[in-house]
Amino acid sequence: MEYATRGDRTASCLSFLCKIVVLLGLAAAAASGQLTDDYYDYCCPQVYRIVRSRVAAAMKAEMRMGASLLRLHFHDCFVNGCDASILLDGTNSEKFAAPNNNSVRGYEVIDAIKADLESACPGVVSCADIVALAAKYGVLLSGGPDYDVLLGRRDGLVANQTGANSNLPSPFDSISVITARFKDVGLNATDVVVLSGAHTIGRSRCLLFSNRLANFSATNSVDPTLDSSLASSLQQVCRGGADQLAALDVNSADAFDNHYYQNLLANKGLLASDQGLVSSSGDPAVAATKALVQAYSANGQRFSCDFGNSMVKMGNISPLTGSAGQIRKNCRAVN
């Protein structure tokens, strides 16, 4: 007869207790429908260390990855809620929707995090929570605020390519349209301006702003709300083709700060939807957004604080909790 060692018995006991805590947590979440900041404290406290380590390694290899992981979270939450549906492969994959195809990145980083967590805490941490935490560390390791991420999401069972094509804000949309899209998911005009500030880090393809550089209108070859020297620089970059990249924040492309807002006031916003926050004449939404841009331009600390708050709000868009959805073993496929 074989006898378990003390270490084996302890591990078995902890595993049993962990399952009990998970079940109790699920019951509480089902009753309240709310996410919490201590969801994994007993059953997978190493989740923070594991996610941060993988994000740090990815950003060391390519600093831009922090911005990409932040964008991945945004594009997930606006379609089906924050349920990791964007990670699913298949014929209806959101990855191949127009706003995401050849644009959204970071899937391999999420895969690596998931593999580590399945080894450390099998069947416990959802892909949706991994995406939210990866975005947090992408911001933090870029010099941004250390906001608390609420956890306890479960993973969706279906992707929604049609929803990704229709629900995600576009860089070609007016501020009124973008504000309406935010309102549809429970976010307001302040959240529009704050979350647009995520463009303080990252890059954009020429495809998304080259319309501002030539043949802009019958009276202007170049968008008159774009600084002329920046326009000349971007024209040089985009001669290389639609997939060439330019910094969203011309002053500090990889540093999370309030330069993005200062750029807008100097007509140096890269995307039309960025510059539109202050320069869209005739758009009734712009009076409010311009005032906020001016406030954040002058007060980086206020921006950092409000950014954390808006990220928590965004992360709470229609999460699956309790017994809804599942904890995927592989983030690319349902169990």
Side-chain angles (χ1 to χ4, degrees):
M1 178 181 292
E2 295 181 357
Y3 293 91
T5 66
R6 179 179 180 183
D8 290 335
R9 291 194 302 271
T10 300
S12 177
C13 178
L14 288 175
S15 177
F16 175 75
L17 289 174
C18 184
K19 290 177 181 178
I20 294 298
V21 170
V22 168
L23 290 173
L24 291 173
L26 291 177
S32 67
Q34 294 182 344
L35 307 177
T36 69
D37 61 1
D38 59 353
Y39 192 82
Y40 297 111
D41 283 7
Y42 295 100
C43 287
C44 196
Q46 59 268 57
V47 62
Y48 304 99
R49 175 183 56 79
I50 289 172
V51 176
R52 178 171 180 148
S53 176
R54 279 291 184 180
V55 172
M59 291 177 65
K60 183 177 181 180
E62 182 189 15
M63 192 65 183
R64 177 188 170 206
M65 187 54 70
S68 296
L69 292 169
L70 174 56
R71 186 163 181 256
L72 179 64
H73 184 35
F74 181 94
H75 280 230
D76 178 43
C77 289
F78 266 68
V79 182
N80 289 4
C82 305
D83 67 344
S85 60
I86 196 172
L87 304 179
L88 289 169
D89 290 333
T91 56
N92 193 40
S93 176
E94 293 168 27
K95 296 175 182 179
F96 302 116
N100 298 333
N101 192 29
N102 297 320
S103 177
V104 173
R105 312 165 66 245
Y107 301 116
E108 295 79 8
V109 179
I110 302 300
D111 289 339
I113 296 169
K114 181 62 173 176
D116 288 351
L117 286 169
E118 283 299 303
S119 294
C121 322
V124 173
V125 183
S126 70
C127 300
D129 278 347
I130 292 172
V131 171
L133 285 169
K136 166 201 169 76
Y137 288 117
V139 170
L140 180 63
L141 296 174
S142 298
D146 185 9
Y147 59 91
D148 287 334
V149 177
L150 301 182
L151 301 167
R153 300 168 190 81
R154 287 167 63 82
D155 299 322
L157 305 179
V158 294
N160 184 358
Q161 189 177 117
T162 300
N165 278 320
S166 60
N167 297 346
L168 286 164
S170 163
F172 306 110
D173 286 339
S174 69
I175 301 306
S176 287
V177 169
I178 292 173
T179 301
R181 293 187 189 279
F182 272 63
K183 184 178 179 181
D184 287 343
V185 294
L187 302 177
N188 59 31
T190 297
D191 299 313
V192 171
V193 180
V194 173
L195 294 175
S196 294
H199 288 172
T200 183
I201 52 176
R203 309 289 191 278
S204 174
R205 293 182 296 161
C206 287
L207 175 69
L208 299 180
F209 61 83
S210 58
N211 65 308
R212 305 181 70 199
L213 304 179
N215 302 315
F216 179 73
S217 70
T219 55
N220 294 286
S221 175
V222 176
D223 185 345
T225 68
L226 179 62
D227 175 80
S228 59
S229 61
L230 178 58
S232 296
S233 174
L234 293 173
Q235 287 167 341
Q236 295 295 322
V237 170
C238 293
R239 284 178 180 173
D243 288 330
Q244 293 297 306
L245 298 173
L248 286 160
D249 180 345
V250 66
N251 286 333
S252 51
D254 296 316
F256 198 99
D257 51 34
N258 68 334
H259 290 168
Y260 165 82
Y261 298 106
Q262 295 170 6
N263 291 340
L264 299 187
L265 296 177
N267 283 352
K268 293 182 178 181
L270 185 68
L271 304 179
S273 57
D274 290 329
Q275 193 59 48
L277 292 171
V278 298
S279 302
S280 298
S281 60
D283 190 328
V286 173
T289 60
K290 183 174 182 179
L292 283 167
V293 167
Q294 292 169 329
Y296 294 137
S297 172
N299 191 333
Q301 185 174 3
R302 178 180 172 184
F303 164 54
S304 291
C305 180
D306 286 357
F307 185 83
N309 291 335
S310 286
M311 285 297 292
V312 171
K313 285 180 65 178
M314 188 187 78
N316 202 36
I317 296 174
S318 303
L320 299 175
T321 59
S323 59
Q326 62 182 203
I327 306 299
R328 288 190 223 136
K329 297 176 182 178
N330 175 351
C331 289
R332 294 175 179 261
V334 297
N335 297 340

